Amino acid sequence: MKLMLAADLSELNRLHAALGRFAEENALPHKPSYALELILEELFTNVVKHGLKDTNDQTVTVEVRYDGRQLTVEMIDAGRAFNPSTAPTPDVTADLDHRSVGGLGLYLVFQFVEELRYRRQDERNRLWFSLPVSSPAEAGPEESKASE
Amino acid sequence: MTPIGLNEEKRGIVTVVHLQGRLDATNCEVAERFITARLDGGVQRLVLDMAELSYISSAGLWVVMMVRKRMAAAGGTLAISQLKPTLYEVFKISGFVPFLTITSDLDTAVTAVSR
């Protein structure tokens, strides 16, 4: 599945619809399907809010593949160079009243991905990540590690 | 904007806001405004019922955090009820669970904030 998204948060609706179709066609279990959408929302939102402020090319390309065992995703944008792995980690043990929400989205991304790689090439950010899928059908939310 | 259902229900002294659908970066501000309008109106005992909420991202967690901060400052009480397992996991990973009253059914949440 390949999608070209404009740098606008309203595109999340199109992303949601496309991921829904992709999950259905591939009989993806609920949990990895949810994780995929969450990761993509967090990464896309981050790029729209911070990365693509003053660039000519306002497109974010998302390509999702599924081989029956894992999901792999490539996300490309022409925004400011930004490697998510270098983002500061929020303190998720601090009382909610003393927290800022900054960094929580990327923190969630790293809790769900199996592997994430970043490179800057041709003035573009190229993110690649993988996400494990336990079994193609009938997998409950509690058996996500079954196929490892 | 992603459609979201926000419905208010009064249960005695407790206000329940039922969230339905998806809470994401496109509608989090609408949800936050809806809920803080209740707080502005004097609501001190609040349950956010998430029985029919199928998706939440960090933007949705921001709403919960803002409401919790507002209520703590005003001496109010807040509970979250009926989180679906995947959403509960997102709350847990984010470190929200130890700081919130989370119940599996609505009645328990209403009782908890009534005390």
Side-chain angles (χ1 to χ4, degrees):
Chain A
M1 176 198 107
K2 190 171 181 176
L3 262 185
M4 314 276 269
L5 300 168
D8 191 306
L9 289 188
S10 66
E11 288 283 79
L12 285 174
N13 293 322
R14 217 152 61 80
L15 178 68
H16 169 62
L19 289 174
R21 283 193 300 273
F22 183 82
E24 201 179 317
E25 285 164 14
N26 292 283
L28 280 182
H30 175 67
K31 193 182 162 179
S33 174
Y34 187 111
L36 175 64
E37 181 154 8
L38 178 70
I39 293 166
L40 284 173
E41 176 183 331
E42 303 297 353
L43 292 172
F44 176 74
T45 304
N46 214 49
V47 169
V48 170
K49 284 186 173 170
H50 308 295
L52 287 169
K53 278 276 186 308
D54 0 80
T55 52
N56 293 325
D57 184 351
Q58 295 273 305
T59 312
V60 180
T61 308
V62 175
E63 193 162 4
V64 183
R65 290 195 178 88
Y66 178 51
D67 66 2
R69 195 187 67 82
Q70 68 168 2
L71 290 156
T72 53
V73 181
E74 190 168 33
M75 191 171 139
I76 302 169
D77 70 84
R80 264 190 319 198
F82 175 66
N83 180 354
S85 308
T86 62
T89 308
D91 180 3
V92 295
T93 64
D95 190 291
L96 286 187
D97 296 341
H98 305 294
R99 272 196 229 179
S100 73
V101 84
L104 185 57
L106 289 178
Y107 177 80
L108 285 172
V109 168
F110 284 104
Q111 301 311 303
F112 284 107
V113 298
E114 187 168 59
E115 191 186 345
L116 185 144
R117 299 179 205 148
Y118 169 82
R119 66 194 161 104
R120 181 80 177 172
Q121 188 184 41
D122 302 331
E123 294 179 15
R124 282 176 159 68
N125 296 307
R126 290 171 175 268
L127 266 183
W128 179 97
F129 64 85
S130 63
L131 192 63
V133 176
S134 54
S135 69
E138 305 301 325
E142 60 287 332
E143 48 185 304
S144 62
K145 303 282 180 191
S147 68
E148 288 181 10
Chain B
M1 188 188 94
T2 305
I4 184 162
L6 297 160
N7 296 294
E8 181 183 15
E9 181 197 355
K10 292 285 185 191
R11 291 217 182 176
I13 54 169
V14 177
T15 299
V16 181
V17 173
H18 299 277
L19 294 95
Q20 295 164 309
R22 304 163 47 77
L23 185 53
D24 66 14
T26 70
N27 60 23
C28 61
E29 285 170 16
V30 170
E32 197 260 346
R33 277 199 298 273
F34 182 91
I35 299 164
T36 46
R38 268 74 210 156
L39 306 185
D40 292 340
V43 166
Q44 288 269 34
R45 298 166 191 275
L46 177 70
V47 175
L48 299 178
D49 179 50
M50 303 200 173
E52 292 180 58
L53 195 69
S54 60
Y55 177 89
I56 195 166
S57 64
S58 70
L61 292 174
W62 169 79
V63 175
V64 174
M65 202 175 80
M66 295 312 286
V67 171
R68 147 82 203 227
K69 279 186 185 180
R70 273 282 308 266
M71 295 203 76
T77 46
L78 169 71
I80 314 278
S81 66
Q82 307 195 87
L83 277 173
K84 290 184 192 300
T86 323
L87 275 76
Y88 182 81
E89 196 182 338
V90 175
F91 272 72
K92 196 173 151 192
I93 292 170
S94 305
F96 275 43
V97 170
F99 304 105
L100 292 168
T101 302
I102 299 177
T103 70
S104 54
D105 67 294
L106 180 54
D107 288 343
T108 310
V110 170
T111 307
V113 298
S114 301
R115 280 199 290 265

